[in-house]
Amino acid sequence: MSNAKYKRYLKQSIPFGIIWLVFAVVYTFLEFGILGDSKYYPSTGNLYDFKSSFIHSCIAGFLSGFIQGWIELVWLRKLFINRALWVKVVVKSIFYVSFILIVLIIFSLLANSRLLKLGLFDPLVIRSLYVFMQEFSFWSVVIYLGLISFVALLFSEIREYVGMGVLYNFLLGKYHKPKQEIRIFMFLDMKASTTIAESIGHKQYFKLIKKYYADMTDAILETEGEIYQYVGDEIVVSWPERKGIQHNNCIRCFKKIKDAFEKNKQEYILEFGIAPDFKAGYHIGEVTIGEIGNIKKDIIYTGDILNTTARIQATCNTYKTKVLISEKLLLKLSKEKDFTHTKIGELELRGKKELVQLHSISF
């Protein structure tokens, strides 16, 4: 696993931990409200202390959530990537509840063995577990933990469908009122897409597009890009100015996508009979960002930069090059470049006096 992917999984697992932590806090206060000044748990007779319960529940809650997030991101998500949402939620929920049940049984056996000072599989220890499993308190814990894992899982699935950045922006209300930002855009388009669709058929073409976008995902995430739109065979990726310029992330994104497709070239040829190629245009400028819609909400960008970037990308055909970047963006990138550039021409925009200076990029 690459270092960048490890960091991404780490970052994406934290929200699972936070969800479990919130539920753990709620649980300890509900428990305190029920038990009050009682010194013992009624069902087990074990000592009860609010402070100790609060600390242990919070630590256990966060760690449990983090582990669930890690399992989900590293393993389970890949297994169910092509399944319907309801299948994912139901089957994964069953898995997590079963896992919780097994963990509770193991911990109960260990606790009883320690308290009774007997072997783990001593008949008296097993009997104590059996009695505990007949108590409502045991199953209430299982149900509550199952509910937490379901909520965390649902949050994860929604985040995957709408996009991590978009979901957080909606939850935090970041763009409830329109804001202006300087952002970098990359418009990336498949070459000869119409010809490809006609040659392999639209059903196969859809499968190709699905794989095409999937193979870009790691490159975009590893360079901190945000997918703004899928438009047919075109993908629009955006970066806040600082993130896009840092480590030349915006340009490295194209390089990583290019490397991924070179690595998977034979897979495309075997499955579809062709290996797709693509071109990209880059520009930087000010956009207005805000929420729109009543029935279906979305976060959109408006500004001349979007039209300009689209025009830059379309101009790749004119100069027979894969990547074109505006000089305005190029001047902001790091001097220690891992790419070379050549001034290749100018782009005249309707209604604009100033020409956009264009450079081609090669790696």
Side-chain angles (χ1 to χ4, degrees):
M1 187 185 299
S2 69
N3 191 46
K5 187 173 287 189
Y6 171 83
K7 287 181 179 178
R8 188 168 78 247
Y9 287 155
L10 188 68
K11 186 178 179 181
Q12 292 179 348
S13 296
I14 290 173
F16 283 84
I18 293 172
I19 290 170
W20 277 71
L21 175 62
V22 170
F23 274 87
V25 171
V26 171
Y27 178 83
T28 53
F29 277 100
L30 286 174
E31 184 182 61
F32 178 71
I34 295 169
L35 296 178
D37 295 328
S38 175
K39 300 293 184 183
Y40 300 93
Y41 288 98
S43 59
T44 61
N46 292 334
L47 287 171
Y48 168 70
D49 176 67
F50 171 73
K51 184 178 179 181
S52 175
S53 175
F54 181 83
I55 292 171
H56 286 92
S57 294
C58 288
I59 293 172
F62 182 82
L63 289 176
S64 298
F66 186 85
I67 291 168
Q68 183 195 6
W70 194 264
I71 292 171
E72 177 67 23
L73 294 164
V74 175
W75 178 47
L76 276 186
R77 180 172 289 179
K78 295 174 184 177
L79 293 180
F80 292 88
I81 194 167
N82 293 318
R83 300 290 183 178
L85 178 60
W86 73 268
V87 174
K88 293 179 183 179
V89 173
V90 170
V91 177
K92 288 180 183 180
S93 294
I94 292 171
F95 168 81
Y96 286 122
V97 169
S98 301
F99 179 75
I100 288 165
L101 193 57
I102 291 168
V103 170
L104 279 176
I105 289 171
I106 291 170
F107 273 95
S108 296
L109 281 172
L110 290 170
N112 290 337
S113 175
R114 184 174 58 84
L115 287 169
L116 298 172
K117 297 180 180 179
L118 296 169
L120 194 63
F121 299 106
D122 187 272
L124 192 56
V125 172
I126 301 295
R127 174 67 183 169
S128 298
L129 172 65
Y130 178 71
V131 170
F132 179 47
M133 289 181 68
Q134 291 181 312
E135 295 284 344
F136 173 76
S137 58
F138 176 84
W139 292 105
S140 66
V141 171
V142 173
I143 292 168
Y144 191 77
L145 294 179
L147 175 64
I148 301 173
S149 66
F150 174 80
V151 171
L153 180 61
L154 194 61
F155 173 85
S156 173
E157 293 297 334
I158 293 171
R159 182 177 66 178
E160 185 180 1
Y161 271 84
V162 303
M164 185 164 58
V166 173
L167 179 59
Y168 291 154
N169 288 333
F170 274 131
L171 290 174
L172 298 173
K174 185 176 180 180
Y175 298 119
H176 185 65
K177 292 182 179 179
K179 292 185 179 181
Q180 290 184 317
E181 289 183 8
I182 303 294
R183 296 187 77 92
I184 297 166
F185 283 88
M186 175 182 75
F187 279 56
L188 189 144
D189 182 51
M190 185 188 294
K191 289 184 177 181
S193 57
T194 304
T195 304
I196 293 171
E198 289 176 353
S199 65
I200 67 175
H202 291 285
K203 192 172 181 179
Q204 276 293 93
Y205 178 68
F206 183 83
K207 289 181 180 178
L208 184 147
I209 285 287
K210 194 172 181 180
K211 178 173 173 55
Y212 174 75
Y213 286 142
D215 286 345
M216 296 180 187
T217 303
D218 282 347
I220 294 167
L221 292 174
E222 287 171 13
T223 54
E224 300 193 71
E226 300 169 10
I227 297 172
Y228 173 46
Q229 284 180 337
Y230 296 107
V231 187
D233 61 341
E234 180 180 75
I235 184 170
V236 181
V237 183
S238 176
W239 291 263
E241 182 180 16
R242 183 185 62 81
K243 286 186 178 180
I245 290 171
Q246 187 178 38
H247 308 306
N248 292 341
N249 273 333
C250 59
I251 298 298
R252 285 198 311 115
C253 181
F254 184 90
K255 175 66 164 56
K256 284 179 173 286
I257 290 173
K258 178 174 171 288
D259 291 344
F261 275 86
E262 286 177 358
K263 181 181 177 181
N264 298 332
K265 185 176 180 179
Q266 283 304 118
E267 290 182 20
Y268 281 94
I269 292 172
L270 287 172
E271 187 172 355
F272 305 106
I274 58 101
D277 202 0
F278 41 85
K279 58 187 185 293
Y282 283 92
H283 192 36
I284 186 172
E286 186 176 77
V287 289
T288 300
I289 314 173
E291 290 181 21
I292 63 163
N294 293 321
I295 297 174
K296 178 184 180 296
K297 287 191 175 293
D298 203 354
I299 293 175
I300 68 163
Y301 302 119
T302 60
D304 288 343
I305 179 181
L306 294 165
N307 293 328
T308 303
T309 312
R311 287 280 309 279
I312 291 172
Q313 185 248 79
T315 307
C316 287
N317 291 333
T318 304
Y319 293 107
K320 295 181 173 56
T321 186
K322 280 194 171 186
V323 188
L324 282 178
I325 182 173
S326 66
E327 190 170 88
K328 183 179 179 182
L329 173 56
L330 182 66
L331 292 173
K332 289 178 176 289
L333 297 176
S334 170
K335 297 292 188 295
E336 298 176 4
K337 302 182 181 75
D338 47 6
F339 61 89
T340 58
H341 63 90
T342 305
K343 189 168 184 179
I344 202 169
E346 298 172 332
L347 178 63
E348 184 177 355
L349 301 173
R350 189 165 53 188
K352 300 280 186 179
K353 291 182 179 180
E354 189 177 349
L355 299 175
V356 178
Q357 306 298 319
L358 299 178
H359 293 250
S360 65
I361 296 289
S362 56
F363 300 93

